[in-house]
């Protein structure tokens, strides 16, 4: 039985997700909610190990299907160990990326298509977010925000790849309008957090 709320954040690399996640966490905690913050890929010791394999720049020979399965495997562990138990205890779970990332990066951008949906349905079952905040950033702007820090294997992919990721997210927004709230990440931090807290307040009232 699920009693809590599950909120995920999505966006291309450099969309300002972390800032908004911290602001939302404070917003919820001030209102007395028990908040569990987690991220993907990762969030459990096993999933963090899988994360380091996926993002390791040295793994340049990784097959696209292997990549998709590793993301789904890390996700299955996070759902069973952290997300599902927290929701059953009535907590609010905020997850930095979830299944939509695999749909944008692996299904659309890598071109693996519907098989990604199938393996993720197997990995998470009915444990899908109640609300997903999509911070939309033009991929060129996102890339420049990453700046000079060292890039991981996914961030090193071509600008064409990141353009496709962006297009994938726009398609997902159209496909799931009740769940996905798309926000222009070029707006100010205050305006974005205002939109997010309004939507979350609506969800919590239900
Ligand atoms: P991370 O450093 O967590 O990225 P960010 O700070 O942008 O959230 O690295 C995760 C990378 O993995 C990121 O480039 C997006 C990618 N990714 C996928 O390709 N598929 C997935 O299912 C997930 C969860 C992430």
């Amino acid at each position: 039985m699920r009693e809590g709320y599950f909120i995920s954040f999505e966006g291309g690399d450099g969309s300002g997700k972390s800032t908004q996640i911290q602001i939302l966490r404070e917003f919820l905690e001030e209102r007395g909610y028990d908040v569990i913050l987690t991220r993907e890929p990762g969030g459990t010791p096993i999933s963090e190990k899988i994360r380091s394999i996926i993002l390791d720049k040295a793994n340049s020979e990784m097959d696209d299907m292997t990549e998709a399965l590793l993301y789904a495997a890390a996700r299955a562990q996070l759902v069973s160990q952290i997300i599902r138990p927290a929701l059953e205890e009535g907590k609010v779970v905020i997850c930095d990326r979830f299944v939509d990332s695999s749909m944008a990066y692996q299904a659309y951008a890598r071109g693996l298509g519907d098989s990604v949906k199938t393996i993720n349905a197997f990995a998470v079952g009915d444990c899908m977010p109640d609300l997903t905040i999509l911070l939309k950033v033009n991929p060129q702007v996102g890339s420049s925000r990453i700046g000079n820090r060292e890039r991981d294997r996914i961030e090193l992919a071509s600008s064409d790849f990141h353009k496709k990721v962006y297009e994938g997210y726009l398609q997902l927004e159209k496909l799931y309008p009740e769940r996905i709230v798309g926000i222009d990440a070029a707006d100010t931090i205050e305006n974005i957090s205002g939109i997010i807290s309004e939507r979350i307040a609506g969800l919590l009232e239900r």
Side-chain angles (χ1 to χ4, degrees), residues 41-66:
T44 74
I46 292 171
S47 310
E48 290 289 335
K49 281 189 180 168
I50 298 174
R51 175 191 174 90
S52 60
I53 297 171
I54 301 174
L55 298 182
D56 189 345
K57 277 189 301 188
N59 288 335
S60 56
E61 77 270 35
M62 190 180 292
D63 182 76
D64 290 350
M65 194 73 92
T66 309

Side-chain angles (χ1 to χ4, degrees), residues 137-181:
V137 65
N138 176 299
Q140 271 171 347
V141 177
S143 175
S144 68
R145 283 194 192 168
I146 295 173
N148 290 328
R149 76 163 161 79
E150 210 181 337
R151 290 166 192 239
D152 61 45
R153 198 176 57 83
I154 304 289
E155 286 166 348
L156 282 169
S158 70
S159 59
D160 254 18
F161 174 79
H162 288 284
K163 212 172 132 229
K164 281 193 203 145
V165 170
Y166 185 59
E167 288 163 7
Y169 274 129
L170 298 184
Q171 290 201 38
L172 290 166
E173 187 189 9
K174 279 204 198 106
L175 266 174
Y176 305 106
E178 295 88 28
R179 176 174 63 83
I180 301 183
V181 181

Side-chain angles (χ1 to χ4, degrees), residues 62-184:
M62 190 180 292
D63 182 76
D64 290 350
M65 194 73 92
T66 309
E67 179 183 286
L69 287 163
L70 285 174
Y71 277 116
R75 183 165 296 134
Q77 186 64 31
L78 180 66
V79 165
S80 73
Q81 195 176 338
I82 305 285
I83 299 180
R84 205 183 286 280
L87 292 174
E88 281 168 2
E89 287 168 15
K91 295 177 179 166
V92 180
V93 176
I94 304 177
C95 196
D96 185 345
R97 298 189 179 280
F98 200 61
V99 171
D100 299 303
S101 281
S102 281
M103 291 310 294
Y105 286 76
Q106 281 70 49
Y108 288 98
R110 295 276 193 231
L112 294 177
D114 271 355
S115 55
V116 176
K117 208 173 172 182
T118 310
I119 58 172
N120 276 284
F122 181 56
V124 310
D126 63 355
C127 193
M128 280 296 283
D130 299 297
L131 195 72
T132 297
I133 305 293
L134 168 62
L135 295 175
K136 296 190 282 187
V137 65
N138 176 299
Q140 271 171 347
V141 177
S143 175
S144 68
R145 283 194 192 168
I146 295 173
N148 290 328
R149 76 163 161 79
E150 210 181 337
R151 290 166 192 239
D152 61 45
R153 198 176 57 83
I154 304 289
E155 286 166 348
L156 282 169
S158 70
S159 59
D160 254 18
F161 174 79
H162 288 284
K163 212 172 132 229
K164 281 193 203 145
V165 170
Y166 185 59
E167 288 163 7
Y169 274 129
L170 298 184
Q171 290 201 38
L172 290 166
E173 187 189 9
K174 279 204 198 106
L175 266 174
Y176 305 106
E178 295 88 28
R179 176 174 63 83
I180 301 183
V181 181
I183 304 173
D184 181 1

